Amino acid sequence: MDIVGLGSKREVCNTTSQTHIFVTHFDQLVACCDRSQIGKRLPGALYVHVSALPALEQPLQDYENLARQHLKKLDGATLVKFSTDQPRVSYLSYPDFDTNAHPALQWSVQVDLATSQVGVWNYNSTDNPPVLHRKETFITTDYPLYQAFAELTQQEEALGLLNNSRTIGTRNGWKKRLLDCGIQIQGHVLACPTSRTAAISQPKIDRHKAALVRAELSKPVRVTLEAGLFTPQTTFFDYGCGHGGDIEQIGDRGYTSSGWDPYYRPDALCTAADIVNLGYIINVIEDPAERREALLKAWALTGKVLIVAAQVLIEDRMRGMMAYSDGVITRRNTFQKNYGQEELKSYIDQVLGVDAIPVALGIYLVFRDEAQAQTFRASRFRSRATTPRIKTSIKRFEQYKEMLAPLMTFFTERGRLPIEEELQEFTALQSEFGTLRRAFQIVLQATELQEWDAIAEKRRQDLLVYLALSHFSHRPKLRNLAPIAQHDIKALFGNYQQACTAADLMLLSLGNLEVMAERCKSSAIGKKLSNSLWVHVSVLDVLDPLLRLYEGCASRTIGRPEEATVVKFHTSKPKISYLFYPDFDREPHPCLRTSMQIDLQDLHVSYRDYDPEDNPPVLHQKELLVQSDYPLYEKFAKLSRQEAEWGLLDDLGKIRDHQGWQKCLEENCTELKGHRLVWRKDADPYRVKLLNSFRRQRTLK
C-alpha cells in the first residue's frame, strides 16, 4: 500500500529530543485535548479533521507536526486521532468525507511517539469497515458543509438513530439500524422510502439510456476548447463517450480523438491523452465505489487536463422518481446524482487530491502541471486592455512601426517590457536600438505615457486579484509558477513576498462590509440600489479591484454561470448573485429567468427559476449596467431618458415585476416598439392630451 513511507533513520533520529519533551509532558497534551473546543472527544482520544488542525492549541499542532516527521509520505488523510492514554497519533482516511453522509474508513496509520514505530492498516478488503457519525464535530463552524452535517445529525438524533452508538459503528450495523427504522439517506437528508421493498431492493439501472445523441460539442468540451487548451498537437480521449458525438466533433477539428464506453464502445482501448473528458458520467453511476473508480481511471489516463462535469442543482421535478442510493431513479430507469456545485468540487478534490478549477456550472478542470494550472487561473482574472493609439507623428516611430508593434503588444498583455526569450523580435530590436528600453522610448514619444502606466497598473491589479484568491487553496510557491508569471511579479512588485503581502491586505478588506458597501456606492460603473450594486458581466474586469476580488471569491470556487447576464453585489450581506436575462440586448425590459445566489461565508448556493407566467422581475435602465462603449449603450440610454420624461420611472417599486410594469404602461397609454416608447393606438384621445400636457410641464421644470 503506497500511502505512507517511513522516514530515514537520520530523519527519525533528528526528532528524538523533541519526542522526549512531548512524552515527558504528555499529561499537558492530554489536558489540551480535554479542553479543546475543536474536534470530537471520545474515551481515549480526540479526533480532528485535517482542515481544523490550525485551530488547535499550539502544543497540539507541534505534537502533530512531530508525528508527521516520522512519515515520509502521507496522502489522503482525513482525520487525525490524538490518543490520550498513550503518546500516539493516528491518521485516518475517509475519502468520501464530504459527499457520503457516513463515510467508511479506508486506511489508518498510527505513529507511536514513544517507540517511533509506525503501523499501517488497510480496510479496503474489509466487508464491514468502521463508519463516521456526527461529522460536524470534527470540523470548525466555518467549514463549507458544516451546516449540512449538523442538520443531518439533528434529524438522526430526533429519530433516535444514534442511540446505543456501539451497534452502529460499522457499515453493516448502521445499515441495519436504518433498515429497521425504515429510513434512507439522500445526500445529507433523511427520507422515508416509498416502500420497504424500495429500501432493500437493488433495481437494474439502464445507464446507457442517459447517453445523449449530440450534433454539436457537449458544453464541457466546448468550454475547454474556447479556453484555448486545445493546441495543434493535442490528443483527446472521451471516457464514457456514449454515442461518440464529442469524439467526432473534435476529430473534425483536426485533433486526434478516441473514446471508450461500457455499452456503446466496450471493445475500444482506453488510451492516455492530453485532454480526457469525463462528462456527465459520475452523476449517472449509482454505485459510489464504481463512481469513484471511474474518476480515478479517467485521471490516470490524463496527460495534461481532465474535464469533469456533472449535473448540479436539484430541480423540483422529482415526481415519479424513486429515491435510490444517494440519488434518484428517473422515469427512463436511469440513475441521477444531482450534486450541489460546492459538493461536486469537494468530491473531485478529495478523490484526486487536487484543487479543481471551475469553468462553468457543474464543469471543472484538473491540471497535471501546477504551473499550467496557475497560468490558467491567472488568465481568468486578466482584464481587457487596448494598445494606446498613436497621438503624435514621430518620424523614427513611423520608420520602425512594424518592428515596434510586437513590443507594444507584449507590454499591453503583460504590463512590462519582455526579456530575451519572451519576444521573437528581441534581438532585432536590441541590435537596432541598443536596448528594449530605448526602443520603447520611441513608442512613448508617439503615444501617451499615462496610458502605458495605466496598463501596467491594470496588470498589477490583475495579479493582486489572482494572488489574493490563491490564498483560499494552497498558494503556489514562486518556482511553481510559469516563468512568464515569475517575470511579471518581479517587474511589477519587486519580489513575490511583497506581491503576496499586498494581496493579503487586499483580501482582508473583504471582511469589512462597510468597506465593500462604500466601494459599491462609489463605483463609476453599475446600477446602485439601497443594498446592492448591479453590473453587466461585460464590465466585471474593469470594476474596482476590490469588487473584482469580491466576485472572484464566488466564481473561483463555484464557477460563474455561462449564461449569467448581470452580477448583483449585495452590500448588507456577504453574497453574490448571478442573474440570467436571456433577452438582455433585444428586449427593452427583459424578464429574469434564473438567479443563483452564493453566500460567501459558507459558499452555499441558492438557485431559483422564474417561470414567465409567474410575474418575474423585469430590468429597467439597462444603460446603467454597462459601459458607454457597449454597442447598444446609446439605444438603452435613449429609452430610459424617454421613460423618465414621460414619468414612467417615478416609482421604481411599483414597476419592479412584469405585471407592475405592464400596468404602468397601460395607465400611461403607452407601449414599446423595440427600444422606443409610443402612444397606444387604442388610447383615449383626451387621456393622451392630459398626459402630453403633464409631460410638457415636466420638461419645463
Side-chain angles (χ1 to χ4, degrees):
M1 184 170 69
D2 189 24
I3 56 171
V4 62
L6 288 177
S8 66
K9 284 188 176 181
R10 183 181 300 274
E11 290 171 336
V12 174
C13 288
N14 287 338
T15 66
T16 302
S17 59
Q18 292 176 286
T19 301
H20 177 73
I21 294 173
F22 279 117
V23 171
T24 304
H25 298 86
F26 183 65
D27 57 335
Q28 297 180 17
L29 293 171
V30 173
C32 288
C33 292
D34 289 339
R35 63 173 175 264
S36 177
Q37 299 298 309
I38 307 298
K40 185 174 184 178
R41 186 69 166 92
L42 293 176
L46 171 70
Y47 293 79
V48 178
H49 191 269
V50 290
S51 67
L53 289 174
L56 295 177
E57 290 188 47
Q58 194 60 49
L60 283 179
Q61 292 188 47
D62 296 339
Y63 184 56
E64 188 274 327
N65 283 329
L66 178 63
R68 196 178 288 259
Q69 291 178 32
H70 287 70
L71 307 173
K72 186 176 181 180
K73 182 181 178 183
L74 181 69
D75 295 328
T78 312
L79 301 183
V80 178
K81 173 186 175 182
F82 296 90
S83 297
T84 54
D85 51 1
Q86 296 184 57
R88 293 175 179 173
V89 175
S90 300
Y91 297 90
L92 315 176
S93 176
Y94 294 88
D96 304 320
F97 182 83
D98 281 353
T99 56
N100 192 324
H102 296 278
L105 179 62
Q106 187 176 81
W107 55 259
S108 69
V109 177
Q110 183 186 84
V111 179
D112 189 324
L113 289 164
T115 64
S116 295
Q117 292 183 335
V118 176
V120 180
W121 289 265
N122 192 336
Y123 294 86
N124 278 331
S125 58
T126 302
D127 293 331
N128 190 27
V131 295
L132 283 184
H133 301 280
R134 306 178 189 271
K135 292 193 296 181
E136 75 284 354
T137 60
F138 302 107
I139 57 181
T140 56
T141 55
D142 59 355
Y143 192 80
L145 299 174
Y146 176 86
Q147 193 61 37
F149 296 169
E151 289 177 359
L152 173 62
T153 297
Q154 291 173 3
Q155 290 179 319
E156 291 174 342
E157 287 179 335
L159 294 175
L161 294 174
L162 303 182
N163 296 342
N164 193 13
S165 58
R166 289 185 179 182
T167 63
I168 59 172
T170 60
R171 179 190 287 161
N172 291 344
W174 177 239
K175 283 185 175 181
K176 185 177 184 302
R177 175 68 59 86
L178 292 176
L179 186 62
D180 290 344
C181 295
I183 295 294
Q184 289 182 341
I185 298 180
Q186 300 176 18
H188 283 78
V189 178
L190 296 184
C192 296
T194 53
S195 69
R196 180 58 57 93
T197 302
I200 60 176
S201 63
Q202 297 184 0
K204 185 179 184 301
I205 306 298
D206 296 323
R207 292 183 192 168
H208 65 283
K209 291 183 180 180
L212 302 178
V213 178
R214 302 184 186 277
E216 55 187 18
L217 281 175
S218 66
K219 184 176 178 180
V221 179
R222 175 175 58 80
V223 168
T224 307
L225 185 67
E226 292 172 351
L229 296 176
F230 279 84
T231 57
Q233 302 303 318
T234 295
T235 56
F236 172 79
F237 185 82
D238 197 352
Y239 189 92
C241 61
H243 297 281
D246 281 333
I247 299 174
E248 294 178 8
Q249 291 288 329
I250 287 296
D252 290 343
R253 288 166 169 79
Y255 301 101
T256 301
S257 62
S258 58
W260 170 86
D261 188 90
Y263 186 86
Y264 295 99
R265 299 193 183 195
D267 298 326
L269 294 177
C270 288
T271 57
D274 296 324
I275 297 179
V276 174
N277 178 42
L278 188 69
Y280 305 110
I281 299 300
I282 60 175
N283 53 284
V284 300
I285 299 177
E286 71 280 3
D287 183 354
E290 192 176 344
R291 188 185 308 157
R292 173 186 170 83
E293 182 183 9
L295 181 55
L296 289 169
K297 284 185 175 180
W299 180 233
L301 296 172
T302 303
K304 294 182 178 179
V305 183
L306 172 65
I307 310 167
V308 183
Q311 295 287 346
V312 298
L313 303 172
I314 300 176
E315 299 180 14
D316 186 20
R317 298 171 183 169
M318 306 298 287
R319 293 180 182 176
M321 300 183 184
M322 182 179 73
Y324 180 71
S325 186
D326 55 356
V328 296
I329 298 176
T330 70
R331 298 178 183 88
R332 299 173 63 207
N333 201 38
T334 63
F335 175 81
Q336 191 63 251
K337 158 72 173 169
N338 290 277
Y339 289 88
Q341 179 80 344
E342 66 273 31
E343 178 191 9
L344 178 58
K345 174 171 170 56
S346 295
Y347 180 71
I348 298 169
D349 290 356
Q350 195 168 59
V351 172
L352 301 184
V354 298
D355 184 14
I357 302 174
V359 289
L361 198 61
I363 304 174
Y364 284 87
L365 298 182
V366 186
F367 288 81
R368 277 288 181 194
D369 181 65
E370 177 65 15
Q372 187 183 9
Q374 296 304 328
T375 298
F376 181 77
R377 285 190 187 279
S379 70
R380 301 181 70 222
F381 297 101
R382 289 178 63 80
S383 55
R384 291 169 295 167
T386 55
T387 303
R389 292 177 297 175
I390 308 304
K391 298 292 182 66
T392 307
S393 179
I394 302 296
K395 183 178 180 180
R396 197 165 187 211
F397 176 81
E398 294 297 332
Q399 182 181 355
Y400 295 101
K401 188 174 182 179
E402 290 187 8
M403 182 182 289
L404 292 169
L407 179 62
M408 298 169 67
T409 299
F410 185 92
F411 196 106
T412 303
E413 285 294 314
R414 314 305 305 186
R416 62 173 175 86
L417 294 176
I419 61 174
E420 184 173 357
E421 58 265 27
E422 294 176 332
L423 191 67
Q424 187 176 354
E425 296 80 5
F426 184 93
T427 303
L429 287 167
Q430 191 174 47
S431 176
E432 184 64 38
F433 298 98
T435 65
L436 254 64
R437 195 165 296 280
R438 289 179 182 174
F440 198 65
Q441 285 298 323
I442 304 300
V443 174
L444 294 179
Q445 292 174 20
T447 56
E448 290 288 346
L449 172 62
Q450 292 82 357
E451 293 186 31
W452 293 106
D453 287 343
I455 288 174
E457 178 60 23
K458 181 174 288 190
R459 295 302 173 227
R460 187 176 182 275
Q461 296 296 338
D462 290 344
L463 279 172
L464 281 178
V465 172
Y466 156 66
L467 289 173
L469 292 172
S470 71
H471 180 86
F472 291 108
S473 54
H474 298 290
R475 178 174 286 164
K477 296 183 182 299
L478 181 62
R479 64 174 179 269
N480 291 333
L481 298 178
I484 195 169
Q486 295 183 36
H487 297 315
D488 289 344
I489 290 169
K490 183 177 180 180
L492 297 173
F493 292 95
N495 59 60
Y496 192 45
Q497 183 177 358
Q498 290 183 13
C500 292
T501 300
D504 289 340
L505 289 173
M506 185 179 179
L507 192 60
L508 284 174
S509 300
L510 294 186
N512 190 331
L513 279 177
E514 292 182 0
V515 172
M516 297 309 306
E518 181 56 36
R519 292 295 177 97
C520 289
K521 184 179 179 181
S522 60
S523 175
I525 305 170
K527 184 176 182 179
K528 302 163 191 173
L529 300 180
S530 60
N531 59 356
S532 59
L533 172 71
W534 299 45
V535 300
H536 190 266
V537 290
S538 65
V539 305
L540 282 175
D541 64 354
V542 294
L543 288 177
D544 178 285
L546 200 58
L547 295 181
R548 291 177 60 198
L549 179 59
Y550 195 60
E551 188 274 336
C553 289
S555 62
R556 182 196 181 282
T557 303
I558 303 301
R560 186 184 306 148
E562 184 184 31
E563 67 276 9
T565 317
V566 173
V567 179
K568 176 182 177 182
F569 293 81
H570 299 254
T571 56
S572 58
K573 297 179 180 179
K575 293 182 179 180
I576 290 285
S577 291
Y578 295 104
L579 312 176
F580 175 39
Y581 295 90
D583 301 311
F584 181 85
D585 283 348
R586 186 174 60 85
E587 290 290 332
H589 295 276
C591 292
L592 180 61
R593 178 70 56 81
T594 59
S595 70
M596 187 175 83
Q597 182 177 281
I598 301 172
D599 190 322
L600 296 180
Q601 289 183 320
D602 57 10
L603 295 179
H604 178 71
V605 178
S606 301
Y607 184 84
R608 182 173 178 182
D609 194 356
Y610 293 85
D611 192 308
E613 298 180 359
D614 292 338
N615 192 29
V618 295
L619 202 57
H620 303 282
Q621 299 174 298
K622 294 189 295 181
E623 74 284 355
L624 296 179
L625 280 68
V626 298
Q627 281 190 294
S628 58
D629 60 354
Y630 191 79
L632 300 175
Y633 174 85
E634 193 51 46
K635 178 184 284 189
F636 297 167
K638 186 176 180 180
L639 173 61
S640 292
R641 288 194 297 268
Q642 188 183 17
E643 291 174 342
E645 291 171 0
W646 288 28
L648 272 65
L649 305 181
D650 288 353
D651 191 341
L652 294 175
K654 290 184 177 180
I655 60 173
R656 64 175 303 275
D657 54 41
H658 180 70
Q659 292 178 4
W661 175 239
Q662 292 302 314
K663 182 179 180 182
C664 178
L665 290 174
E666 291 175 8
E667 290 175 348
N668 286 274
C669 303
T670 55
E671 62 182 358
L672 287 161
K673 296 292 185 181
H675 282 72
R676 185 167 59 92
L677 201 61
V678 298
W679 297 111
R680 292 171 60 97
K681 292 181 179 179
D682 60 350
D684 177 53
Y686 180 71
R687 175 68 176 162
V688 170
K689 184 176 180 179
L690 289 176
L691 290 170
N692 254 326
S693 175
F694 172 71
R695 179 164 60 89
R696 286 193 294 270
Q697 290 177 14
R698 289 175 62 96
T699 305
L700 293 174
K701 289 182 179 180

